[in-house]
Amino acid sequence: MADKLSLNVLLANFCQLLYSSDMNTMNVSLPGPLKSFVDEQVVGRGYGTCSAYIRELIRHDQDRQHLRSLLLEGGESAPAVTADANYFQTLRADVRQQSKG
C-alpha cells in the first residue's frame, strides 16, 4: 500500500509539473468540514496537493458528462440491430471463431 501511495504522489507531482506552466489560479472557499474532507483525501489517497485532488474531480466530472452525452445521443438514435438472445449468441460465436484463429 505504501508503494502505491508513493507512486500516486510521484504521479501527482509529475502531472502538476507538466501542467504548471499553463495553470490559472482559482480560489475556492469551503466550510470547515469540506476542507477537512479534502485534506483527508489528499493525504489518504496520495495526492500531492489539494489542487491535484480538485483537478481529478473535475476531470472525472468531465468524463461523466461526456459519457452522459454519448448515452443520450445513442438513446436518441435509431436502433441498428435488435439486441435479443439470438444477437448475443451470434456475437459469442463470432468471438469464439476469431479466438480460434
Side-chain angles (χ1 to χ4, degrees), residues 10-21:
L10 288 172
L11 183 58
N13 289 338
F14 172 75
C15 290
Q16 183 178 7
L17 289 172
L18 183 65
Y19 294 108
S20 63
S21 62

Side-chain angles (χ1 to χ4, degrees), residues 31-83:
L34 285 180
K35 174 69 170 111
S36 295
F37 177 80
V38 170
D39 291 339
E40 290 169 11
Q41 299 308 301
V42 169
V43 171
R45 296 173 64 187
Y47 293 97
T49 63
C50 294
S51 292
Y53 174 66
I54 299 300
R55 282 192 299 273
E56 183 170 322
L57 290 178
I58 293 168
R59 283 191 290 273
H60 281 263
D61 194 44
Q62 286 176 324
D63 291 345
R64 183 194 57 78
Q65 288 182 24
H66 180 73
L67 177 59
R68 183 178 190 275
S69 70
L70 292 174
L71 289 170
L72 289 172
E73 181 182 324
E76 293 170 355
S77 67
V81 177
T82 301

